[in-house]
C-alpha cells in the first residue's frame, strides 16, 4: 500500500509538494483570518509563493501564535466542523483544532499508510491501549486508520493490565498500539499470572509518546528492557495534533517515514534557516490537504535530524530520527547541554525506580538547576549512590536527586485535565 509518490524520484516529490503548496497558499489567503493578516503585514501576495524555496519569504508560526489567535486559524464555517480536538498543552495552554469531514478522511488515510509502514495489513487486529476520548486526536486517528486499512481494532483504552491481557487472550490481536513503558506493566502482570508474552501471538507494537531509540537507531534503555522479556518488533512513531500527520518506522527501523503528500518539512536552526543536511534542528511543518485549520511553517518545538539515505523498504522519502528534545526544554547544566530524554534513558535503566519527575528551574545566579524526584520501594543510600554513579558515567554531570513517596509523585505526574503523565516540570517557562 506504499503510495506511488513515496516511491517516486526526489524531483517528482518536489513537483507534487509545490503544486499542493500553491493550492494551500491560495486557500489560506482566502479563508484564514490569521494568514491573511500575515501576508498583508509582510507585503506578500499568494503569487509570491510558488516553490518550496519561497517558503523562506514567510515568517514562521509559533505555538504562542496558535494560543493567542486560535480562532483566527479556522478556515471554514463552524457548521462544517465534525470533531474538536485539543493539544496536550505540555508547553503551555492547550490549543483547539477543528476537523471537517475531509480532515477526518485525511487523518484516516495518514494512519492507514502509517500502519502499513509498520507491516499492518487488513488481516491484522490491533489492540488500542490509549484513550479515544478526552479530545485526544491520536486515539481517533488510530481507529479511523484501522478502519481505512480494513484491519480489526479492539478499543480497550488506557491502563488496566488485567483487562488488556483478557482482551489479548480472548480476541487474539496481532499488534498493540501502546505507550512503551506500559509494555513493562503488561510484562510484569504476565509474569505474575503465568502468561508467556512471547506466546501471545503479538507480531509487533506500534509505540507512541516515548522514544525507543538512540540517535544512531540502537535500542535505548527502555526498549532494551522491553525486548528482553517480550521479543517483538517495536515500531517508533512521531506525530502531533498540530500536524495531523504521523512519521512511522518501517521494518528497517531507521526513522519515521515522511508522507510528502500530507506535509512539508523544514529543519531550521536558531536563525530560522535550513540546517545543513544531516544536522539537527527544529522541525517546522506546513500541512497539506487540511481544510479546517491548516498551518504554514509551524515550528513544532521538537529538535530532530532528517535522514535521506535510501531505505530498504522502497520509499524514497526522508526519515525523522528520534526526537532529541524539546527546544524550550534545552538545559545548560554545568557546561553541558542536556535534553530531558537523555535523563529518561539513564533513569529507565533502574528497575527499582517506580516513577520519576524532572524539575527544572533557575538558581539565584540565573543558571539552570535540575532536581530529579524518584519514587522507589527501596530508598537506600546504596541505590541513590548507584543512580548518581550512572549519571556521571552516562551524562558526565550529576543533577540533584531526591527520594519521594509514590503518591506525591503521582500527584505531580497526573495534574487535573492532563491526558498523559507530566514527566518534566519546567519552572523556567
Amino acid at each position: 500500500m506504499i503510495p506511488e509518490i513515496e516511491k517516486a524520484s526526489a524531483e517528482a516529490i518536489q513537483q507534487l509538494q509545490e503544486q499542493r503548496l500553491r493550492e494551500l497558499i491560495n486557500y489560506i489567503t482566502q479563508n484564514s483570518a490569521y494568514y491573511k493578516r500575515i501576508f498583508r503585514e509582510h507585503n506578500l501576495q499568494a503569487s509570491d509563493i510558488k516553490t518550496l524555496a519561497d517558503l523562506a519569504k514567510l515568517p514562521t508560526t509559533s505555538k504562542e501564535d496558535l494560543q493567542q489567535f486560535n480562532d483566527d486559524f479556522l478556515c471554514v464555517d463552524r457548521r462544517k466542523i465534525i470533531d474538536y480536538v485539543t493539544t496536550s498543552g505540555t508547553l503551555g495552554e492547550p490549543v483547539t483544532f477543528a476537523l471537517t469531514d475531509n480532515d477526518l478522511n485525511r487523518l484516516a488515510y495518514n494512519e492507514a499508510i502509517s500502519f502499513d509502514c509498520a507491516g499492518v495489513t487488513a488481516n491484522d487486529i490491533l489492540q488500542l491501549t490509549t484513550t479515544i476520548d478526552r479530545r485526544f486526536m491520536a486515539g481517533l486517528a488510530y481507529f479511523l486508520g484501522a478502519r481505512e486499512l480494513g484491519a480489526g481494532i479492539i478499543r480497550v483504552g488506557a491502563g488496566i493490565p488485567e483487562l488488556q491481557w483478557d482482551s489479548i487472550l480472548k480476541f487474539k490481536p496481532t499488534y498493540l498500539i501502546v505507550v512503551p513503558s506500559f509494555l513493562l506493566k503488561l510484562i510484569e502482570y504476565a509474569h505474575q499470572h503465568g502468561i508467556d508474552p512471547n506466546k501471545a501471538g503479538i507480531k509487533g507494537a506500534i509505540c507512541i509518546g516515548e522514544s525507543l531509540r538512540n540517535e544512531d537507531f540502537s535500542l535505548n534503555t527502555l526498549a532494551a528492557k522491553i525486548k528482553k522479556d517480550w521479543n517483538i518488533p517495536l515500531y517508533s512513531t512521531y506525530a502531533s495534533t498540530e500536524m495531523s500527520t504521523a512519521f512511522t518506522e518501517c521494518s528497517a527501523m531507521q526513522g519515521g517515514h515522511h508522507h510528502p503528500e500530507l506535509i512539508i518539512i523544514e529543519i531550521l536552526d536558531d536563525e530560522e534557516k535550513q540546517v545543513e543536511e544531516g544536522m539537527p534542528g527544529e522541525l517546522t511543518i506546513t500541512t497539506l490537504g487540511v481544510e479546517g485549520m491548516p498551518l504554514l511553517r509551524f515550528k513544532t518545538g521538537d529538535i530532530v535530524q532528517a535522514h535521506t539515505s535510501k531505505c530498504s523498504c522502497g520509499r524514497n522519502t526522508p526519515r525523522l530520527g528520534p526526537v532529541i528534545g524539546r527546544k524550550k526544554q534545552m538545559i545548560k547544566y554545568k557546561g553541558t547541554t542536556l535534553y530531558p530524554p537523555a535523563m529518561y534513558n539513564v533513569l529507565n535503566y533502574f528497575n527499582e525506580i517506580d516513577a520519576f519527575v524532572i524539575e527544572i528551574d533557575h538558581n539565584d545566579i540565573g543558571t539552570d538547576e535540575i532536581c530529579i524526584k524518584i519514587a522507589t520501594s527501596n530508598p537506600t543510600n546504596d541505590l541513590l549512590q548507584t543512580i548518581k554513579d550512572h549519571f556521571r558515567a552516562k551524562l558526565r554531570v550529576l543533577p540533584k536527586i531526591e527520594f519521594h513517596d509514590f503518591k506525591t509523585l503521582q500527584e505531580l505526574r497526573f495534574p487535573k485535565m492532563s491526558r498523559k503523565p507530566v514527566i518534566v516540570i519546567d519552572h523556567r517557562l
Side-chain angles (χ1 to χ4, degrees):
M1 189 184 167
I2 303 176
E4 288 302 313
I5 190 60
E6 299 188 21
K7 297 184 287 184
S9 66
E11 293 76 17
I13 290 172
Q14 180 175 336
Q15 186 176 8
L16 173 80
Q17 288 213 306
E18 291 183 339
Q19 175 192 331
R20 298 263 175 105
L21 174 62
R22 290 190 289 271
E23 292 169 0
L24 168 68
I25 296 298
N26 287 330
Y27 180 73
I28 62 175
T29 52
Q30 292 175 35
N31 296 288
S32 168
Y34 179 81
Y35 287 115
K36 282 182 187 178
R37 186 164 68 247
I38 291 299
F39 271 70
R40 185 171 62 251
E41 289 173 355
H42 289 80
N43 297 314
L44 288 168
Q45 304 294 321
S47 57
D48 294 328
I49 312 298
K50 296 185 176 70
T51 68
L52 297 182
D54 289 338
L55 281 170
K57 299 176 182 177
L58 290 160
T60 56
T61 300
S62 68
K63 288 180 184 284
E64 291 75 20
D65 294 328
L66 272 174
Q67 290 162 345
Q68 187 175 356
F69 305 108
N70 202 173
D71 289 348
D72 288 354
F73 285 85
L74 186 64
C75 289
V76 297
D77 187 288
R78 290 191 179 273
R79 288 172 295 182
K80 289 194 70 174
I81 299 168
I82 304 296
D83 192 75
Y84 290 90
V85 298
T86 53
T87 60
S88 60
T90 304
L91 294 178
E93 286 298 313
V95 171
T96 297
F97 276 84
L99 283 74
T100 68
D101 201 45
N102 287 336
D103 292 335
L104 293 176
N105 290 337
R106 179 189 177 281
L107 200 61
Y109 169 79
N110 154 76
E111 209 56 57
I113 60 175
S114 296
F115 284 149
D116 182 74
C117 274
V120 182
T121 72
N123 298 320
D124 286 301
I125 300 173
L126 300 103
Q127 182 156 314
L128 179 58
T129 74
T130 64
T131 183
I132 196 170
D133 57 2
R134 301 181 72 180
R135 308 193 303 254
F136 186 44
M137 177 183 275
L140 175 65
Y142 298 133
F143 177 77
L144 293 174
R147 191 166 179 263
E148 176 79 7
L149 191 61
I153 193 160
I154 308 161
R155 295 178 292 108
V156 181
I160 319 176
E162 181 179 6
L163 181 59
Q164 302 292 348
W165 274 112
D166 178 72
S167 297
I168 291 170
L169 299 174
K170 185 178 292 184
F171 301 114
K172 306 278 190 294
T174 47
Y175 284 83
L176 301 177
I177 304 170
V178 62
V179 175
S181 57
F182 187 60
L183 286 171
L184 294 176
K185 295 187 182 299
L186 293 182
I187 291 167
E188 180 183 15
Y189 182 92
H191 288 170
Q192 290 171 350
H193 292 83
I195 301 168
D196 184 349
N198 291 298
K199 294 182 179 177
I202 301 296
K203 297 193 298 188
I206 297 163
C207 296
I208 69 166
E210 295 171 343
S211 179
L212 295 169
R213 309 203 189 285
N214 301 310
E215 289 178 48
D216 63 357
F217 298 115
S218 60
L219 294 178
N220 66 15
T221 303
L222 174 60
K225 286 173 74 171
I226 294 166
K227 294 274 287 184
K228 175 177 172 290
D229 289 307
W230 201 346
N231 191 25
I232 53 174
L234 304 174
Y235 297 94
S236 279
T237 66
Y238 166 69
S240 73
T241 302
E242 292 93 344
M243 58 191 181
S244 295
T245 311
F247 295 77
T248 302
E249 286 185 327
C250 67
S251 58
M253 297 183 179
Q254 296 290 299
H257 277 280
H258 171 217
H259 302 308
E261 65 272 47
L262 296 178
I263 198 166
I264 295 169
I265 61 172
E266 302 172 81
I267 299 182
L268 304 181
D269 62 20
D270 290 340
E271 280 73 49
E272 299 192 347
K273 292 183 172 57
Q274 189 77 29
V275 300
E276 294 181 19
E277 186 169 336
M279 296 300 292
E282 183 173 7
L283 179 67
T284 301
I285 59 96
T286 294
T287 54
L288 300 173
V290 172
E291 184 177 43
M293 294 178 67
L295 295 177
L296 187 62
R297 302 199 82 203
F298 173 72
K299 297 172 70 174
T300 64
D302 292 328
I303 305 300
V304 301
Q305 183 177 337
H307 298 264
T308 55
S309 57
K310 190 170 178 61
C311 186
S312 59
C313 73
R315 293 174 179 83
N316 289 334
T317 53
R319 303 177 310 282
L320 293 185
V323 174
I324 298 167
R326 292 276 180 92
K327 186 172 183 179
K328 283 192 174 180
Q329 290 179 342
M330 184 181 76
I331 308 161
K332 290 284 190 180
Y333 188 68
K334 298 181 180 178
T336 299
T337 298
L338 285 178
Y339 289 97
M343 291 183 277
Y344 303 164
N345 210 26
V346 174
L347 294 163
N348 284 329
Y349 176 82
F350 294 92
N351 293 328
E352 299 91 338
I353 294 177
D354 299 321
F356 62 84
V357 169
I358 299 170
E359 288 194 339
I360 310 167
D361 211 334
H362 284 310
N363 59 25
D364 293 340
I365 59 173
T367 59
D368 293 340
E369 287 290 346
I370 306 167
C371 178
I372 300 175
K373 298 182 175 181
I374 291 172
T376 176
S377 58
N378 183 36
T380 65
N381 287 331
D382 285 346
L383 176 59
L384 182 61
Q385 189 59 50
T386 303
I387 295 170
K388 288 179 176 181
D389 291 344
H390 206 62
F391 264 96
R392 289 191 189 97
K394 295 295 183 181
L395 300 182
R396 301 187 303 278
V397 292
L398 177 61
K400 183 180 180 182
I401 301 173
E402 299 175 346
F403 287 136
H404 289 263
D405 66 89
F406 186 77
K407 182 182 177 182
T408 299
L409 255 60
Q410 287 299 85
E411 289 173 354
L412 290 173
R413 282 161 50 88
F414 292 96
K416 289 181 180 179
M417 302 295 288
S418 177
R419 289 194 300 244
K420 56 186 182 181
V422 175
I423 300 173
V424 177
I425 300 173
D426 195 339
H427 299 292
R428 303 170 305 170
L429 300 179

